[in-house]
Amino acid sequence: MTQFSEQPASFTQDRGFRSELNAEEEAAISTAREILFRHISRNPVLTSWAAVVDYCSFSVRGDVERFHVLYLDRKNRLISDERMGVGTVDHVPVYPREVIKRALILGASALILVHNHPSGDPTPSEADLAMTKEVQKGCRFLGLTLHDHIIVGAGHEVSLRGLGKM
């Protein structure tokens, strides 16, 4: 069964100030997330890079770092979008063992790591690269596929696979 693990969040606007959302706007965001989730659940995630990126940027955006893992089945359909951590403005703790453990519990075949940089700059840090390498080693050992690690910034995203870092 496909599932979400996070409630809707208020978004930080590109101009750098926080915009409080009223109840109607929060409900609209919740509805939009559910529609997007149903669309991705019925369609293989990796057939459209744009759909993956849109989903990722929508699901992790916020004023603090959020780390999610998209767990996929053998046909690259979304099993679960799991929020694995919420941090501060410039750090979120990630435990590779827990990421892989959850994949095994869910019976996932593949993963996509996703997190945001609230600063707006999606350039990967050394810590981002090191953590990705650790998850990649564990996945390789257990026969799981790590498709990518996507970092979401303000208005654009970076793929570690696209950068040749995986």
Side-chain angles (χ1 to χ4, degrees):
M1 171 178 225
T2 313
Q3 56 190 327
F4 275 113
S5 65
E6 181 179 1
Q7 295 298 316
S10 297
F11 293 95
T12 303
Q13 293 183 345
D14 289 342
R15 287 177 265 178
F17 60 89
R18 186 178 170 100
S19 173
E20 295 300 321
L21 301 176
N22 64 38
E24 186 177 299
E25 292 167 329
E26 288 285 349
I29 289 171
S30 179
T31 300
R33 284 183 187 210
E34 288 301 317
I35 292 167
L36 185 58
F37 176 70
R38 284 195 314 265
H39 171 73
I40 288 178
S41 295
R42 280 182 260 157
N43 298 294
V45 173
L46 295 179
T47 60
S48 168
W49 176 249
V52 173
V53 170
D54 287 347
Y55 178 81
C56 292
S57 60
F58 192 65
S59 66
V60 302
R61 185 165 291 150
D63 55 357
V64 295
E65 281 203 26
R66 301 171 194 276
F67 183 85
H68 285 232
V69 181
L70 304 182
Y71 293 101
L72 310 171
D73 68 11
R74 291 202 178 277
K75 293 184 178 183
N76 291 320
R77 289 180 302 223
L78 186 64
I79 296 171
S80 184
D81 172 352
E82 302 270 337
R83 183 184 67 193
M84 301 299 287
V86 175
T88 64
V89 295
D90 63 357
H91 175 73
V92 61
V94 177
Y95 303 100
R97 177 191 336 215
E98 296 301 315
V99 169
I100 293 168
K101 175 182 165 185
R102 189 69 180 144
L104 296 173
I105 290 168
L106 291 169
S109 298
L111 300 79
I112 299 174
L113 308 178
V114 185
H115 83 281
N116 67 317
H117 281 180
S119 69
D121 178 5
T123 303
S125 68
E126 289 302 318
D128 294 337
L129 298 173
M131 180 274 303
T132 302
K133 294 283 186 210
E134 288 300 310
V135 172
Q136 193 171 34
K137 281 194 286 189
C139 285
R140 192 175 300 122
F141 183 74
L142 293 170
L144 300 168
T145 301
L146 178 59
H147 285 308
D148 208 340
H149 182 166
I150 299 169
I151 303 174
V152 176
H156 61 290
E157 299 77 24
V158 167
S159 157
L160 293 190
R161 182 164 304 282
L163 292 176
K165 302 288 185 181
M166 294 181 57

